[in-house]
Amino acid sequence: METTSKAFSKEILNIENIELVCDEICHKLRGNIKNQLRRRGAVVGISGGIDSSVVLALACRALGQENVIGILMPERDSSPESLTLAQALANKFGVRTVVENITATLEGFGCYKRRDEAIARVFPEFNPLTDKAKIEIKQNIGQNLPSLFSLTIITSAGEILSKLLPVNEYLQIVAATNFKQRSRMAMLYYHAESLHYAVVGTPNKHEVEQGFFVKFGDGGADLMPIGHLYKTQVYQLAEYLGIPQEIIDRTPTTDTYSAEQTQEEFFYQMPFKEMDLIWYAWENQYREEEIAKVLQKSVDEIHNIFKNFERKQHTTSYLRAAPIF
Amino acid sequence: MTKDRRIHEKLLKYIIEVTFLDKDVIKDDTLLFEEGIFDSMGLLFLIDFIRDTFHIDTKDNELLVENFASVNSIAAFISKRIGFEESKKLVISDK
């Protein structure tokens, strides 16, 4: 591996001129919407999370708040906090909002029923009315083997049970749950088309490149203005743009399963600060020894994390691929 | 054919079937994950195959590279588990 010229450090991803970065993103966003997509404004799905909040703020800055609309799409399993925070964000930026509860849509698709059937095949005692469930990765990212998902249920009595998910149940749970993101995408396009607006997507760099999105779900958008930013950089923009502190302080969750679940336990397996730095190092071909020294980890661990990134990017390339013809 | 060799053969046949690779490409010591022959879904389907074929449920703490790196290591893992299950049966039948 070749070494890049800039020495690796924990500060390497700090944005020096945030105002300039925001201006560049907004200039591009405005140009893309007006000239390339030829739309009048932007629709943003807001969840009370950091990424969608930053995108909404950027869209307001680029197009003016009167040309932006925030769509809130809670469903049965959403945390009530998501709705409250998303509404507080919209109020702060003076953006119109529409609340679309998608629970009935998801019931129509059989989303909950199909998911709960698969859960009950793993845990026959599971009661969807009283128990909560989530899927999570339990293996260490430093282990040189692909990670698999376990199903965890939390019974009404507070008992926590966990099992490695068999392949058929894993696939059914994921496929059923993906109705959530795909229903939201359909709803965003309804509002976008009815207003002649563009759908502005909210994935950050990790979500795009590690494949932490649903194809034709949250991956379905006309443009993704923060798709090139690391998560820690999204936080830097959030501070600069004046995103409400409760949103900045909130632990990133998937807000998809009935049991509470952080993005770290669901997918990333390491804290964002560390992941950003190691991903940057991997992408820019820094030497494993240099990273290990700065982050006080073993060279073997860094090597295995690099392998894990490589595997995730390779395995999820299908999600980023355009239709083949 | 020995019991261990039969495990090897069943694994090789399965891997060739699901990967569409030429049988000469997969050797007993080919590093299945390191060389990109299997990814996470490949591992998940492999665990299913092990359960259906050898009646072994893989546990979270057994998902280690030393148990799944190659046909050799998977076969060793299966042999060890079969030996353990058989010894459990012996203990039960001795009672």
Side-chain angles (χ1 to χ4, degrees), chain A residues 2-15:
Chain A
E2 285 176 25
T3 308
T4 49
S5 53
K6 199 172 176 183
F8 183 78
S9 75
K10 287 184 180 175
E11 290 75 38
I12 204 158
L13 288 172
N14 288 356
I15 299 172

Side-chain angles (χ1 to χ4, degrees), chain A residues 31 34 66 76 139 156 182 208 223 225 244 261 276 304 310:
Chain A
K34 297 285 178 190
E66 65 282 8
R76 184 190 293 169
Q139 301 92 52
S156 51
R182 293 201 174 101
V208 173
L223 59 170
Q261 179 192 51
D276 279 4
N304 288 341
E310 205 176 297

Side-chain angles (χ1 to χ4, degrees), chain A residues 78-90:
Chain A
S78 304
S79 156
E81 194 188 20
S82 300
L83 197 63
T84 317
L85 291 174
Q87 196 59 65
L89 173 87

